[in-house]
């Protein structure tokens, strides 16, 4: 076994690093702290704006213990509110998504009515007390930002800068036409694991060969349990090797992430040849989303906790509008591939979660290929401190 010395430009870890403690994955106190300091303080991706484009379209979401909803006004403004009535706190919006029939939001309990801007329009009492003023009871707003067709919200009173939530190690997606795309398919899954288990698994490929045989066939470098050429301690010896096992990228003949490896006829014309050839890029905004870019479509994967040991992921496949209109468009050739990979990851993550409950698991240890897991742990620790 070779001892790593931190050879120049090698990306991996060269010393042994402890993971977060086992309790971080199931303890209520940890979870509450993470909700308050991570999920209720920073910006969170919720959905692509094309799923909420029509006037009076709405969607509701659960973030930890918090219900919120978004609604598009008739003038195109998108607003977000806490899903809680100012009368006695009932949920207002019960459906996951839809289109309001009128220009008001009515509470299902005692029928208070609010405008799409959150103002209280009417109560249902026979008389209101002289000191009751409707202006004192608007819906509690949530900060909303639309960035390149992506809807982000922040539950903090004073939101930080949205761009500060974009991971500095992300790939650049400036040339991908994110804002012009449309959602072609959405898939949701509840995973029985802590939200951090999802991100740790996303951040390493040490698990790839046995968990994802089909993906390793498409992206040969993953067979070597690494995700990029510099994760190999001997990378400099292979730097001019054109073999995809060393340089990265897709297997010879494959064009994109799909069941048969083919790309859609309408590829993204704005990409450089190098970007087309990469096979996949990842843009990350912790703690809520990664956006994968391929030469012909994009995919968002949103991550929200619904309990200390339960996480919901929602995946959107984004395509050019003309692609969705093609009569020969084979959606499943694309979606089935990623669903298979994500199901494989979910199964592994659930095994990981169960084992971390062991009385003897006080913490684990990171290996050289897990440098991005370390970066993620550093971010969690820094955000909680
Ligand atoms: S709780 Fe909404 S109207 Fe009473
Ligand atoms: Fe995986």
């Amino acid at each position: 076994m070779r001892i790593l010395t931190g050879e120049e430009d090698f990306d991996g870890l060269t010393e042994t690093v402890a993971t977060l403690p086992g309790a971080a994955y199931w303890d209520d106190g940890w979870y509450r702290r993470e909700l308050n300091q991570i999920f209720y303080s920073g910006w969170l991706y919720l959905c692509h704006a094309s799923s909420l484009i029509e006037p009076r379209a709405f969607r509701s979401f659960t973030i930890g213990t918090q219900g919120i909803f978004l609604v598009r006004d008739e003038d195109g403004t998108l607003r977000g509110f806490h899903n809680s009535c100012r009368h006695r706190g009932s949920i207002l919006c019960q459906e996951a998504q839809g289109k309001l029939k009128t220009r008001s939001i009515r509470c299902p309990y005692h029928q208070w009515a609010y405008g799409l801007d959150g103002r209280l329009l009417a109560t249902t009492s026979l008389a209101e007390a002289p000191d009751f003023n409707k202006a004192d009871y608007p819906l509690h707003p949530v900060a909303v930002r639309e960035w390149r067709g992506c809807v982000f919200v922040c539950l903090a009173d004073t939101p930080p800068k949205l761009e500060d939530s974009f991971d500095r190690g992300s790939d650049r997606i400036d040339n991908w036409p994110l804002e012009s795309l449309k959602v072609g398919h959405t898939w949701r899954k509840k995973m029985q694991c802590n939200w951090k288990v999802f991100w740790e698994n996303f951040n390493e490929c040490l698990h790839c060969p046995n968990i994802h045989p089909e993906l390793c066939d498409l992206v040969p470098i993953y067979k070597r349990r690494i995700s990029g050429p510099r994760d190999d301690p001997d990378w400099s010896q292979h730097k001019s090797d054109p073999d995809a096992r060393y340089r990265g990228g897709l297997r010879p003949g494959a064009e994109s992430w799909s069941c048969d490896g083919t790309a859609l006829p309408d590829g993204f014309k704005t990409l450089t040849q190098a970007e087309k050839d990469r096979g996949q890029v990842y843009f990350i905004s912790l703690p809520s989303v990664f956006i994968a870019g391929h030469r012909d479509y994009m995919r968002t994967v949103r991550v929200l906790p619904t309990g200390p040991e339960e996480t919901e992921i929602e995946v959107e496949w984004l395509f050019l509008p003309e692609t969705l209109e093609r009569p020969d468009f084979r959606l499943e050739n694309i979606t089935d591939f990623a669903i298979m990979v994500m199901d494989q990851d979910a199964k592994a993550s659930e095994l990981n979660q169960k084992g971390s409950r062991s009385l003897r698991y006080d913490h684990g240890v990171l290996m050289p290929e897990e440098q991005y897991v370390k970066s993620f742990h550093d971010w969690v620790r820094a955000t909680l401190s």
Side-chain angles (χ1 to χ4, degrees), residues 67-69 81-93 107 114 138-140:
I68 71 135
F69 68 95
F81 301 103
H82 287 267
N83 197 358
S84 175
C85 180
R86 293 298 305 274
H87 174 215
R88 274 175 35 220
S90 168
I91 286 241
L92 291 159
C93 184
C107 177
Y114 300 88
L139 294 179
H140 289 297

Side-chain angles (χ1 to χ4, degrees), residues 71-112:
V71 60
R72 178 86 62 187
D73 203 343
E74 311 244 300
D75 66 2
T77 309
L78 186 65
R79 294 198 183 82
F81 301 103
H82 287 267
N83 197 358
S84 175
C85 180
R86 293 298 305 274
H87 174 215
R88 274 175 35 220
S90 168
I91 286 241
L92 291 159
C93 184
Q94 302 173 83
E95 292 154 75
Q97 65 189 101
K99 188 172 169 178
L100 296 170
K101 290 190 185 69
T102 63
R103 295 198 55 193
S104 63
I105 300 152
R106 204 168 271 280
C107 177
Y109 200 2
H110 316 97
Q111 306 279 292
W112 279 25

Side-chain angles (χ1 to χ4, degrees), residues 10-15 17-19 200-201 203-207 225-227 231 352 364-378:
F10 164 57
D11 252 359
L13 298 177
T14 52
E15 57 187 12
V17 180
T19 64
E200 290 166 2
N201 177 72
N203 275 306
E204 50 92 354
C205 218
L206 201 52
H207 69 274
R225 303 185 183 272
I226 55 177
S227 42
D231 302 352
N352 191 171
V365 59
L366 297 180
M367 298 308 284
E369 300 86 346
E370 295 171 306
Q371 72 272 42
Y372 304 117
V373 180
K374 176 182 184 296
S375 312
F376 171 68
H377 287 172
D378 288 346

Side-chain angles (χ1 to χ4, degrees), residues 201-202 204-205 207-208 211-212 215 341 344-345:
N201 177 72
F202 167 78
E204 50 92 354
C205 218
H207 69 274
C208 288
I211 305 291
H212 305 303
L215 176 59
V341 173
Q344 293 165 340
D345 277 325

Side-chain angles (χ1 to χ4, degrees), residues 108-167:
Y109 200 2
H110 316 97
Q111 306 279 292
W112 279 25
Y114 300 88
L116 303 191
D117 58 1
R119 272 181 309 136
L120 175 60
L121 302 177
T123 69
T124 44
S125 292
L126 295 175
E128 287 164 6
D131 63 345
F132 180 82
N133 185 355
K134 288 192 193 69
D136 294 338
Y137 300 93
L139 294 179
H140 289 297
V142 168
V144 177
R145 273 276 306 274
E146 288 188 69
W147 173 87
R148 297 203 57 202
C150 296
V151 179
F152 286 84
V153 297
C154 180
L155 305 192
D157 291 335
T158 316
K161 217 170 133 207
L162 169 65
E163 286 74 6
D164 288 347
S165 77
F166 300 162
D167 192 288

